[in-house]
Amino acid sequence: TTTETQSSTTTTTTSSTATATSTETDYTTTTSTTTTTIYTTGGGGCVLSGTLVTLANGTQTPVQNLGIGDRVLSYDLQANKMIVENVTSNNSTLVNQIVDINNGELYASGLSDQPLWIMRSNGTTGWVFLGQLQVGMKIFEPVANTWISIQSLSTTTGSYLVYDLRISGFPNNNY
């Protein structure tokens, strides 16, 4: 059972592509210019190493650089405003599958346990799991106060380093 919460940390989309070889994994980070926010309601799901997270002071840092006690921007859906939360944990793991949204605009993992705040084509909003996203849905981007249309989705397999960032105030929340 997933319990809905009303907050999420703002992340700028970047990508880290991991290419596995027989003896090592090579992680390459590329940065996108579009900012996207992932909303979560508990459970798992992660963003790629290199994903930029907006700090309380407005600067950005890669997710892997965040530590316990760092202050990050989050969005409160009930109050419709940005808020500040403290990082309570930031754990990394390797996964073998990620979802590519809009040809590299956003990469995320956790098909069945990464909820996202979306708008459907009929204008209704709500939570869906990453694996339930469809072309035509939109993801809210609170910094610009706009919705980003999902124009393409693909699942990629390989070896990817991802981070599960958790914040205060919403202990079951990711990002």
Side-chain angles (χ1 to χ4, degrees):
T1 303
T2 300
T3 304
E4 183 173 320
T5 60
Q6 300 294 315
S7 179
S8 148
T9 302
T10 302
T11 61
T12 298
T13 59
T14 62
S15 65
S16 293
T17 305
T19 307
T21 64
S22 60
T23 58
E24 62 183 29
T25 303
D26 175 31
Y27 296 97
T28 307
T29 302
T30 57
T31 303
S32 158
T33 57
T34 305
T35 302
T36 301
T37 299
I38 300 173
Y39 298 92
T40 64
T41 59
C46 300
V47 293
L48 285 170
S49 176
T51 298
L52 296 175
V53 177
T54 303
L55 302 174
N57 66 7
T59 62
Q60 296 180 324
T61 191
V63 66
Q64 67 271 16
N65 293 349
L66 290 170
I68 294 172
D70 286 344
R71 298 172 53 79
V72 296
L73 285 183
S74 184
Y75 191 79
D76 183 323
L77 289 171
Q78 286 183 322
N80 293 316
K81 67 178 185 174
M82 300 300 289
I83 60 174
V84 174
E85 296 286 357
N86 293 319
V87 172
T88 58
S89 70
N90 190 16
N91 299 309
S92 66
T93 190
L94 287 174
V95 297
N96 62 9
Q97 186 177 59
I98 59 168
V99 174
D100 175 348
I101 301 170
N102 292 345
N103 296 314
E105 191 169 350
L106 175 66
Y107 294 95
S109 70
L111 289 173
S112 63
D113 62 2
Q114 176 64 69
L116 302 168
W117 186 251
I118 58 93
M119 180 187 292
R120 293 171 186 84
S121 59
N122 66 6
T124 61
T125 57
W127 299 102
V128 299
F129 289 114
L130 180 61
Q132 297 171 315
L133 283 181
Q134 297 175 6
V135 170
M137 291 179 171
K138 297 177 181 181
I139 301 173
F140 184 60
E141 199 289 280
V143 174
N145 195 28
T146 190
W147 292 89
I148 296 172
S149 293
I150 299 174
Q151 299 171 356
S152 67
L153 291 166
S154 63
T155 302
T156 304
T157 57
S159 180
Y160 304 95
L161 181 62
V162 296
Y163 285 81
D164 182 12
L165 182 64
R166 301 210 177 232
I167 57 174
S168 63
F170 302 91
N172 294 324
N173 224 30
N174 300 335
Y175 312 110

